[in-house]
Amino acid sequence: MSDTILELQNVKTHFPIHRGFIFKRLVGSVKAVDGVSLTLKRGEVLGLVGESGCGKSTLARTILQLLPTTEGRILLNGKDLTLASRKEMTAIRCHMQMIFQDPFASLNPRRTVFETLAEPLRVHNVCDKKDVPQRVASLLETVGLSSRFIHKYPHEFSGGQRQRIAIARALALEPKLIIADEPVSALDVSIQAQILNLLAELTRKMGLSLVFIAHDLSVVKHISDRIAVMYLGKVVELGTATEVIDNPLHPYTKALVSAIPQPDPDSEKNRHRIMLPGDPPSPINPPSGCTFHTRCPHAIEACKVAIPDLIAHKGRFVACSRIKDL
Amino acid sequence: MPHLVNDRFNLIIQTHSHAMPFLTVADLRTYFHTRSGVVRAVDGVSFSLQRGETLGIVGESGSGKSVTCYSMMGLIAQPPGKIESGTAFFDGVDLLNCSPAQARSIRGKRISMIFQDPMTSLNPYLRIGEQLIEPLLIHEKISHKDAIKRGIEMLEAVGINDAASRISQYPHEFSGGMRQRVMIAMALITKPELLIADEPTTALDVTVQAQILELISKMQKELNMAVIFITHDLAVVSGLCDRVQVMYAGRILETADTRSLFYNPKHPYTQALQKSIPANQAKGKELFTIKGLPPDVSKPLPSCPFAPRCDFAVERCLTEPISLTALSEGHAQACLRVQAKEI
């Protein structure tokens, strides 16, 4: 078995835009994910950060094949998911699971905890019918909930407890890869810390690989081994978590990091903020060349033409053609 | 316990005795009478604010920080809500007990508010311009044409390019950050003396959040207004506010100037809240967590609401009532054990 669990090769997910009521014609596409190449090692936590609309959630759904891939290859354990048949996908989905942002929306309100957690076990026939209650109880204990909650409904739980149930559901099939899409954004600070500890402990104990998506950079830095920064469907910087956050290289990462307020009044006063003008451009018609040139403080004429590749620089990967001058 | 309330009120006056406060809220209690019991959303809150000052109110969801401000603005739906007691003197007028006409003349004119979600707080059917100038048309004798002119100036002031043509667009043509700018423009168009910002950046990205925070502090300096900034994020407060008060289960547990609150927090809850921020902790180490869950405010909490989750709690924390007591000039907190100098 190789060291790599997941490999993305130039993955693109575009959403076509149609006009017209009867004679629909294609007028363009939203380039939500536009050429992402990444690898994930076994047991590694990869953080994915970027502003809303940068394609991080679309990428997560594409990896799980909840959205069709427009181009590129997604290799899970060396098997290309984009070529897998529906039947093969059902089997493959046991190995990868997702945790969603909003635990108030991701659990069926009319199902008890038992029904929610037993469903994956039943669908994939992983254990004897009579063993199911015991499996469900042990799942609940894994995520730090008492098994006496087994016959309760989601509304009887707080946000943090619901997120624990969602995590238990993702763990039910003992996956190798978990994709967590903003799992703590909807929670309060004190509860957020509990869920982060749980996720960190589970990845360590069960040898899980985790793709962790969040917009809160301090949270991502805490839990991740490596971080990929996305802007308009592309990865602009990739490196170890501490390096990317403490010493960002790409102008976009620099601006993003400098925008985080610090819980410290004195360092807040001295914080040098790099203000990015305006909003991210539309992914329907992204700027030519480097997509960041419209907001970049270092952009020159050449940036409007040349599309920068993700190249190795000072021990990490940066997509900026001026990186050597900065 | 009227004497107790009085003491607390006097104390807050004393801690800021150098000038008559411009807003004084005393013993505010807002309860919601629901089918499952009386929810004590705000339970005895007192604070004051000077002209031009920025006050941060920090707390987790359900701590009563929004309800405190909604009560002052008369935005509590009654029923089920009811303001059980309290006064809120704004420049000599008690907002909680004045006539509706008096309240109308202050609200939207001298006190404005911006809300959390710019996606839902604008009317999608109306052009930006119509919504923007509405407070002007109501509160000032101004022609529609002049109001539109003021509206365009205001949009430019909040950093919207090409304001003259943008003013006749609809909200869906604006991005989230731009809509929040429109909301700020709408709140500031009457040049208010007090701005209440209820989590104005929570729904926005960090880069846009930085723009909006900068804008609020710039406008504050220009108009010399006081700001109440409600947030759950301690980091946002640190750079923006002069003073911070921490709320929990409908009460204020600690209030201090920003530096003292961050560098010398006294109440165990403030300390725990600060410790659980990932940015303050070494990477890869287990994060500090506050055990347990926030209390159920539908049951009366006669004692310290944080006691069941507190590492320092002793027997009397669960039985004795708490009150905010000053430690030093401007720094007050409500922990019994800190007051007794035990911790």
Side-chain angles (χ1 to χ4, degrees):
Chain A
M1 254 199 328
S2 81
D3 206 21
T4 311
I5 182 161
L6 179 75
E7 188 173 355
L8 308 181
Q9 296 174 350
N10 195 27
V11 172
K12 291 185 182 176
T13 312
H14 295 177
F15 299 99
I17 307 167
H18 295 283
R19 280 277 158 75
F21 183 60
I22 298 169
F23 301 104
K24 282 190 179 158
R25 57 191 200 283
L26 193 67
V27 291
S29 60
V30 178
K31 297 172 183 68
V33 176
D34 203 21
V36 170
S37 302
L38 287 171
T39 54
L40 184 67
K41 292 196 188 71
R42 270 170 220 289
E44 188 184 32
V45 181
L46 176 73
L48 216 50
V49 297
E51 290 173 275
S52 46
C54 73
K56 47 193 198 304
S57 294
T58 308
L59 183 63
R61 285 171 166 74
T62 309
I63 294 172
L64 291 170
Q65 291 292 296
L66 298 174
L67 289 170
T69 328
T70 311
E71 219 184 290
R73 288 171 15 118
I74 300 169
L75 304 169
L76 182 77
N77 284 328
K79 179 156 177 50
D80 191 344
L81 302 185
T82 57
L83 303 174
S85 67
R86 272 184 82 114
K87 214 170 158 192
E88 284 174 304
M89 265 323 288
T90 312
I92 292 169
R93 288 219 167 91
C94 294
H95 302 302
M96 47 185 200
Q97 289 291 321
M98 185 144 179
I99 302 166
F100 296 92
Q101 172 172 1
D102 187 355
F104 292 84
S106 66
L107 297 175
N108 188 334
R110 301 184 61 164
R111 283 191 186 171
T112 61
V113 173
F114 176 78
E115 286 165 334
T116 299
L117 296 183
E119 190 184 25
L121 300 173
R122 193 167 42 79
V123 169
H124 291 279
N125 266 329
V126 287
C127 62
D128 244 11
K129 217 172 174 182
K130 62 178 197 307
D131 294 338
V132 169
Q134 198 207 329
R135 276 288 283 271
V136 170
S138 80
L139 271 172
L140 280 179
E141 264 149 39
T142 318
V143 297
L145 289 174
S146 158
S147 53
R148 68 191 156 85
F149 292 147
I150 205 160
H151 292 298
K152 292 201 173 192
Y153 286 92
H155 75 263
E156 296 174 83
F157 295 96
S158 69
Q161 288 174 322
R162 281 185 222 207
Q163 202 57 295
R164 285 176 193 267
I165 297 167
I167 293 171
R169 178 176 59 182
L171 293 174
L173 296 169
E174 294 172 358
K176 294 280 165 280
L177 170 67
I178 284 190
I179 297 179
D181 188 0
E182 307 251 14
V184 296
S185 316
L187 308 173
D188 275 319
V189 204
S190 66
I191 309 298
Q192 187 175 312
Q194 294 174 1
I195 298 294
L196 285 173
N197 280 346
L198 175 67
L199 280 174
E201 187 198 315
L202 289 173
T203 45
R204 208 172 44 240
K205 267 195 196 155
M206 306 173 76
L208 290 172
S209 306
L210 181 68
V211 177
F212 188 92
I213 301 173
H215 63 270
D216 186 340
L217 294 174
S218 57
V219 166
V220 179
K221 179 190 167 189
H222 187 85
I223 197 166
S224 311
D225 299 315
R226 282 192 306 153
I227 289 182
V229 184
M230 284 184 74
Y231 185 76
L232 276 190
K234 289 190 168 75
V235 174
V236 295
E237 184 162 355
L238 174 67
T240 59
T242 9
E243 279 185 359
V244 170
I245 303 296
D246 294 345
N247 180 26
L249 292 177
H250 193 282
Y252 176 64
T253 321
K254 280 185 184 167
L256 200 62
V257 170
S258 82
I260 320 169
Q262 298 297 320
D264 181 342
D266 283 350
S267 69
E268 262 303 281
K269 263 188 208 108
N270 305 324
R271 179 158 66 96
H272 173 63
R273 279 184 241 185
I274 306 169
M275 281 290 170
L276 287 183
D279 293 309
S282 152
I284 298 173
N285 197 2
S288 62
C290 172
T291 46
F292 186 56
H293 83 252
T294 50
R295 300 170 80 196
C296 181
H298 308 290
I300 52 170
E301 277 304 307
C303 295
K304 294 183 186 166
V305 190
I307 299 175
D309 289 324
L310 200 60
I311 49 164
H313 180 78
K314 289 186 186 165
R316 66 185 104 154
F317 296 91
V318 186
C320 175
S321 35
R322 295 201 62 202
I323 190 70
K324 293 206 170 65
D325 313 333
L326 297 177
Chain B
M1 6 167 227
H3 66 282
L4 209 156
V5 167
N6 238 345
D7 284 353
R8 212 180 301 168
F9 178 75
N10 287 339
L11 184 142
I12 282 168
I13 300 276
Q14 276 161 23
T15 48
H16 306 284
S17 54
H18 39 275
M20 182 59 198
F22 153 69
L23 174 76
T24 312
V25 176
D27 196 42
L28 176 66
R29 287 169 205 270
T30 309
Y31 294 175
F32 291 90
H33 298 264
T34 65
R35 225 185 294 176
S36 53
V38 181
V39 176
R40 293 158 177 81
V42 177
D43 205 7
V45 162
S46 307
F47 62 94
S48 64
L49 189 68
Q50 308 287 347
R51 266 178 207 281
E53 189 183 30
T54 314
L55 172 71
I57 304 184
V58 182
E60 297 181 76
S61 38
S63 62
K65 53 195 193 304
S66 295
V67 176
T68 303
C69 293
Y70 280 41
S71 305
M72 272 157 46
M73 293 290 275
L75 297 177
I76 297 292
Q78 308 194 30
K82 186 159 185 269
I83 294 169
E84 305 281 333
S85 79
T87 53
F89 279 97
F90 171 79
D91 209 12
V93 183
D94 185 358
L95 295 171
L96 302 180
N97 303 300
C98 63
S99 69
Q102 235 174 343
R104 275 200 304 275
S105 72
I106 291 174
R107 199 170 52 195
K109 165 78 182 148
R110 301 179 65 193
I111 308 179
S112 305
M113 192 154 179
I114 38 182
F115 299 89
Q116 174 173 357
D117 191 355
M119 301 296 162
T120 53
S121 45
L122 288 168
N123 186 336
Y125 288 111
L126 294 180
R127 291 176 199 275
I128 291 295
E130 294 307 313
Q131 308 185 46
L132 184 62
I133 62 168
E134 200 183 357
L136 269 186
L137 296 177
I138 292 171
H139 293 291
E140 286 176 28
K141 282 198 182 107
I142 189 168
S143 73
H144 192 272
K145 209 175 124 198
D146 289 344
I148 287 283
K149 224 171 99 191
R150 282 265 298 274
I152 292 171
E153 281 168 21
M154 204 62 225
L155 284 184
E156 276 164 358
V158 297
I160 292 180
N161 297 326
D162 201 13
S165 65
R166 292 287 258 176
I167 199 165
S168 52
Q169 287 183 332
Y170 287 94
H172 75 265
E173 296 171 86
F174 288 70
S175 68
M178 284 293 157
R179 280 185 228 196
Q180 198 59 290
R181 282 170 195 268
V182 172
M183 288 300 295
I184 293 172
M186 197 192 300
L188 300 185
I189 199 161
T190 53
K191 299 197 169 61
E193 293 150 67
L194 170 63
L195 175 72
I196 299 173
D198 185 7
E199 307 239 12
T201 59
T202 308
L204 306 173
D205 280 313
V206 270
T207 52
V208 184
Q209 166 171 289
Q211 294 170 1
I212 297 293
L213 293 179
E214 187 106 334
L215 175 66
I216 291 177
S217 51
K218 184 187 126 211
M219 298 308 286
Q220 178 181 21
K221 278 187 203 101
E222 271 176 29
L223 299 172
N224 188 30
M225 54 179 185
V227 175
I228 297 180
F229 200 93
I230 303 171
T231 181
H232 67 275
D233 189 350
L234 272 173
V236 170
V237 158
S238 73
L240 194 76
C241 299
D242 304 319
R243 221 149 42 82
V244 182
Q245 60 195 31
V246 179
M247 285 190 70
Y248 187 79
R251 294 164 207 209
I252 298 172
L253 292 189
E254 183 158 10
T255 171
D257 62 284
T258 309
R259 280 192 56 108
S260 312
L261 192 98
F262 278 90
Y263 298 130
N264 192 14
K266 287 292 180 206
H267 198 283
Y269 177 63
T270 318
Q271 291 172 356
L273 203 60
Q274 218 179 12
K275 269 199 266 176
S276 55
I277 304 174
N280 283 350
Q281 303 191 35
K283 188 186 147 46
K285 271 177 78 179
E286 198 175 324
L287 289 168
F288 175 85
T289 57
I290 305 174
K291 63 183 188 216
L293 296 170
D296 179 5
V297 284
S298 64
K299 296 186 181 74
L301 295 160
S303 57
C304 175
F306 186 60
R309 302 175 76 187
C310 183
D311 288 334
F312 303 99
V314 290
E315 193 105 330
R316 68 193 163 90
C317 293
L318 297 161
T319 50
E320 284 177 33
I322 56 163
S323 67
L324 265 183
T325 307
L327 286 161
S328 57
E329 169 90 18
H331 192 162
Q333 66 84 45
C335 177
L336 290 170
R337 296 201 68 197
V338 173
Q339 284 162 9
K341 297 206 166 59
E342 288 171 0
I343 46 175

